[in-house]
Amino acid sequence: MIGLVLLLVIAPAATIVGIVWSLGSLVGDASEGPTPMEASTATLELSANEMVIVYVPAADAATAECTAEGSDPGAVTTVPSSTATTFGNGEEYVQVLGVASLQDTTATISCTGTDAPAHLGPYSLFGMMAPLVIGPIIGVVAGLVGLVLTIVGIVLLVRSRRA
């Protein structure tokens, strides 16, 4: 019985909880909308392993170019993107850049070709990734233990009926 509960209830629940917990860190800001950047430039203090997501209005996405620099060379890494998003306030934006800090730094984010860039964050990379990885791992382990316990239980049940 315990094996079936682990296999059919705990394993899927752990996986789903991990995914929901990870995405929960973005939900609050995504529903409110992004923070506008002053004068197309933002200077942010980022701790190691934090991330900022840079958006521009969908109307400006074709012409907007955004860059990020850390206070030290190699302190930040950027990932270009073109993911469209409609925020909870109804505004349509396009994610143009993800900025991740590799160490404690002051990041300067600049955008040209748009009058209204915005950003979400900073977010902890470990705060988002840990639950996303740990939840499914716990789910797989619980599922395997449940499967083994179920098989052992079936074998013991069959042997006890023969005796």
Side-chain angles (χ1 to χ4, degrees):
M1 182 69 163
I2 293 173
L4 287 175
V5 170
L6 281 170
L7 182 64
L8 299 175
V9 178
I10 303 298
T15 302
I16 292 169
V17 166
I19 292 169
V20 169
W21 184 11
S22 176
L23 295 177
S25 64
L26 292 174
V27 171
D29 285 337
S31 64
E32 294 173 15
T35 304
M37 292 170 43
E38 299 293 325
S40 299
T41 301
T43 301
L44 305 166
E45 293 292 327
L46 296 177
S47 298
N49 299 312
E50 281 190 332
M51 177 180 66
V52 174
I53 303 169
V54 181
Y55 289 89
V56 296
D60 297 339
T63 59
E65 290 188 30
C66 296
T67 60
E69 295 179 4
S71 55
D72 297 323
V76 297
T77 184
T78 59
V79 178
S81 179
S82 60
T83 306
T85 302
T86 302
F87 289 103
N89 60 7
E91 295 177 356
E92 292 185 23
Y93 279 83
V94 174
Q95 177 184 345
V96 293
L97 192 66
V99 181
S101 63
L102 304 175
Q103 62 190 33
D104 292 349
T105 188
T106 301
T108 303
I109 301 167
S110 301
C111 292
T112 58
T114 180
D115 292 330
H119 71 276
L120 286 177
Y123 300 105
S124 168
L125 293 176
F126 291 128
M128 288 190 314
M129 291 305 296
L132 191 61
V133 171
I134 292 171
I137 288 173
I138 291 172
V140 168
V141 170
L144 290 174
V145 169
L147 181 63
V148 168
L149 289 175
T150 301
I151 292 170
V152 168
I154 291 171
V155 169
L156 291 175
L157 183 64
V158 169
R159 284 188 179 174
S160 71
R161 288 192 180 185
R162 286 187 183 172

